[in-house]
Amino acid sequence: MTRPQENDTMGTSVFDSELLKNAWSTQEMRDVFGDRARMQAWLDVEAALALVQGDLGMIPAEAAREIAAKSQYDAIDKDLVLHHLKITKHPLVPTVRALEHACENGAGEFVHFGVTTQDIMDTGLILQLRTATQILRRDLETIAGDLLRLSEEHRNTPMMGRTLSLQAIPITFGFKTAIWLAEIGRHLERLDDMEKRVFVGSIVGAVGTKASFGPKADEMEKAVNDRLGLGTPDISWQAARDGLFEFGSVMGGINATLNKIGNQLLLLAHNEIDEIAEPFGKGQVGSSTMPHKRNPAVTENSVTVSNTLKSNINMLSDIMRHEHERDGAVWKMEWKILPEICLMLSVVTDNLKFVLADLEVKKGSMDRNLNLLRGYALAERVMFALSDKMGKQTAHEEVYDAAMHGIETDIDFREALLANDKIRAAVGETELDALLDPTTYVGDAPNLVDRAVHSVRSKGRL
């Protein structure tokens, strides 16, 4: 991850603080999109702009150093910001005027030289999104680490696989979690891949033509973005929001995966299935009226917030619809949509980190559920064993007839199979008993787990 360049004159940016070392991502994300961080991001851009323009002789070097020195949240008169906000009704001008006021020796005259509001706000937002991505990446790596551990621990733990909500054939619990792990791994790759397109600054002037900067415009833009640790676009993206659309889409994909994981955990926690349980601490209360309840409340919360987040994902395509060179009605939607996506996603990751770190895996319940259908879940295995002796299609018909007869007469699958003359003649009871052992019909699941775990480890992200 590219970090902003440290500069003695600029001081310590909020984006180089202890932000990423805190324990709970939700509070970290609140800080990233709070008033202080938002204003500091704008000031970071103003400082970088001034220093570069000073180096290039576009403004006096002394004025540039003074602007950078005063481009700190604590150096700005917030009462003055609020005063100008009431008068101007403008999102950025009050901060610019307060920075001008803070600068001494006339340096304020060179604040915000040549740029437009969108330059500062867009580039500041990218700084915020970059830090938000660092937080979410760290959370995904934590979740992936827990899924990797569960996959290794339970590579051989048999459980019933389910398709269309009903029991199908056995898998292992590690196989299930390894699929989740692989999906998270692909999302981590997507985060890496999007950086070059999303974390790009914008210092292009009023309509993107750089008309206000003169012959050094290109050199200046690249130098400002380099100082901030951002990429430089080939042409203005003021009216081309595909980068932010991609950011939201990637976050939406991550949310969809976490939604699926949370929902599956809720299903597996049902008393009737009872194959997993989220951590439940001493003194925790499941219900105000039913003392026995140990509700999966944290998992449920992750799914609830994740479901709500999807409404913002649905609005993403609208941010692409800019009229002409700037469209405030569309642009300002981003100020709500993108922070909310990050904030809500951090709630989801916080909840799932808690759940997966100490997830209770109930092997006894998994064993019980393997035999819930009294052998009928092994129909596929029996059919393929018989196909060598009577052909696959014939075997399918005979096993189907036996299964339907057994289910309708409420007898075990073993008994139903032995009641079929053709099947009884083709397979002995000892062989049949071996075929009806669900714990030995998990296919290549353990080796597939090993492959998925190795693939994730080899990428070096965990």
Side-chain angles (χ1 to χ4, degrees), residues 305-316:
V305 176
S306 178
N307 287 339
T308 305
L309 192 161
K310 288 186 286 188
S311 63
N312 278 335
I313 303 299
N314 290 337
M315 289 190 288
L316 272 178

Side-chain angles (χ1 to χ4, degrees), residues 235-354:
I235 193 170
S236 169
W237 55 272
Q238 283 183 352
R241 315 306 280 185
D242 54 292
L244 296 177
F245 178 85
E246 179 179 4
F247 176 87
S249 298
V250 171
M251 296 303 160
I254 292 169
N255 179 65
T257 292
L258 298 180
N259 185 281
K260 177 187 71 175
I261 292 173
N263 190 62
Q264 286 201 38
L265 292 175
L266 285 179
L267 293 173
L268 295 175
H270 287 181
N271 294 126
E272 293 80 1
I273 298 177
D274 195 35
E275 292 181 348
I276 64 96
E278 72 173 41
F280 196 90
K282 183 176 176 59
Q284 187 173 342
V285 176
S287 168
S288 63
T289 184
M290 295 172 284
H292 71 284
K293 295 294 291 294
R294 294 168 68 100
N295 294 335
V298 180
T299 309
E300 184 180 69
N301 191 61
S302 76
V303 175
T304 300
V305 176
S306 178
N307 287 339
T308 305
L309 192 161
K310 288 186 286 188
S311 63
N312 278 335
I313 303 299
N314 290 337
M315 289 190 288
L316 272 178
S317 61
D318 286 342
I319 71 174
M320 301 279 286
R321 185 182 49 82
H322 270 249
E323 293 184 2
H324 306 297
E325 280 58 59
R326 183 179 300 126
D327 183 352
V330 174
W331 178 39
K332 294 174 184 178
M333 291 173 61
E334 298 167 5
W335 307 352
K336 170 190 183 294
I337 294 173
L338 295 173
E340 284 187 0
I341 287 174
C342 295
L343 284 161
M344 288 191 283
L345 191 52
S346 70
V347 175
V348 176
T349 57
D350 267 348
N351 280 273
L352 286 180
K353 283 188 300 181
F354 171 83

